[in-house]
Amino acid sequence: MLAELFADAARGCRESSPLTHRLLTDAAADLVSGGVTSKVMAGAECDRQGTVPGLRFAGAVHRLVLEGRAPSLAKHYPSVGGQPHLPTLWQDALPALHAHADELHARIAATVVQTNEPGRSAPLFGGLQVAAHEAAKAAGRHVPFSVRLLEIGASGGLNLRPHHVGYRMPDGTTHGDADSLLVLDPRWTGLPDVDLAHRLRIVGRAGCDIHPVDVSTEDGRLQLCSFVWADQLDRWNRLRDALDLAAVDPVKVQQASGPEWLAQHLARTERDVLTVVWHSVVWQYVSPADRAMGRAVLADAAAKATPTAPLALLVYEPRRTSAPEKYQFHLLLKLWPANLSLHLGHGAGHGIPFTWEAKPWS
């Protein structure tokens, strides 16, 4: 039932975004009563949970606010300078929903959730350092490998430049690029057991997505901004900085299905380069058939990996915890031909904060 999917999405952001929680809770009730949300969401009644229709609804409404076309709502949205007043939020949302119902319906039907959270570059940076060092150790090298980074479900490609981001540590040092337009406070507990001061060298990078976002356009930037919960200003500011960085260091994301694209890129190997396949918070959106095909493509490439042209899989994906409706996000690494499997740590869905805790991954 669609109202239950809205309620489930609302529960998922209850602690981290009171504004989105209240909007989706009231929208779920409106769906049950046959209100305007039913018109906006018409045709989505059979959507599966993984398509998160509630977050698509919230993103479409936020976009109206960002475009200055929902003045009754703007006063509640910190992303445009407002201050939430939750008791009157839904009443102030109704004029926008009625005025733009057809447009909202079309946008929600044609849109998939695209957060492309740049905070995930922090665990990615640490994970790449571990992978480059461990691959070198397995090959008997003293210098960590250079990296070729391949991202599946790359969205707008904001996490394809981890070597151009600064990572500010509690002791005042900054790893990565201290002069970057994007400097993160990763809020790490512990550290990866490698030399983070070593310069991470990425010699190739590419990404694919079924629905890529072109962040060189205003439409693409608005799409990503609309999916940031409007009362999370730290994420909002982080995204704006990441978009500024992307403007001076562009990487085009190819529109393609993951398995075919991955097979094409893994068919080519480079000597003295570690190829890293990376994805983050994308697995829930991948069909079972594509999951199986992707595993087969990776297994074939892993069987052909050599000490001088190693292969790694690095993922940051959610797992349900023992607490109801709670998820924890795990950073996992597999390395071939070393046959090394590590659980590197866990953190929040947006990559910050993160706890480093290396142990075997079975």
Side-chain angles (χ1 to χ4, degrees), residues 137-215:
K137 187 189 302 183
R141 295 166 49 115
H142 297 294
V143 179
F145 274 92
S146 297
V147 170
R148 177 171 62 131
L149 181 61
L150 305 176
E151 182 176 15
I152 299 169
S155 186
L158 297 186
N159 288 314
L160 279 169
R161 50 188 66 82
H163 55 319
H164 291 324
V165 176
Y167 306 92
R168 188 180 295 117
M169 299 291 108
D171 63 2
T173 60
T174 299
H175 296 299
D177 184 355
D179 297 320
S180 174
L181 293 169
L182 175 61
V183 177
L184 300 176
D185 174 8
R187 294 166 56 195
W188 283 350
T189 298
L191 292 170
D193 188 21
V194 294
D195 179 14
L196 292 174
H198 172 79
R199 177 173 169 261
L200 176 65
R201 187 162 181 260
I202 295 183
V203 295
R205 49 189 173 155
C208 76
D209 199 286
I210 296 176
H211 304 283
V213 179
D214 185 353
V215 297

Side-chain angles (χ1 to χ4, degrees), residues 59-75 77 79-81 95-96 99-100 103 107 218 222 225-226 236:
V61 172
H62 190 192
R63 178 156 179 158
L64 284 179
V65 174
L66 294 174
E67 292 174 336
R69 297 191 294 133
S72 63
L73 260 182
K75 61 186 178 184
Y77 277 65
S79 56
V80 292
H100 302 284
E103 177 188 344
R107 182 171 297 282
E218 181 64 16
L222 274 172
C225 289
S226 71
W236 175 261

Side-chain angles (χ1 to χ4, degrees), residues 266-320:
L266 291 181
R268 176 179 61 86
T269 61
E270 294 184 33
R271 185 177 175 84
D272 297 324
V273 171
L274 168 66
T275 297
V276 179
V277 177
W278 154 258
H279 60 78
S280 65
V281 198
V282 70
W283 205 235
Q284 70 193 71
Y285 304 112
V286 180
S287 71
D290 275 358
R291 291 184 187 185
M293 288 176 60
R295 289 191 182 104
V297 168
L298 192 66
D300 181 65
K304 299 174 183 176
T306 68
T308 57
L311 173 68
L313 172 67
L314 184 65
V315 304
Y316 190 63
E317 296 288 350
R319 290 183 177 179
R320 191 181 291 273

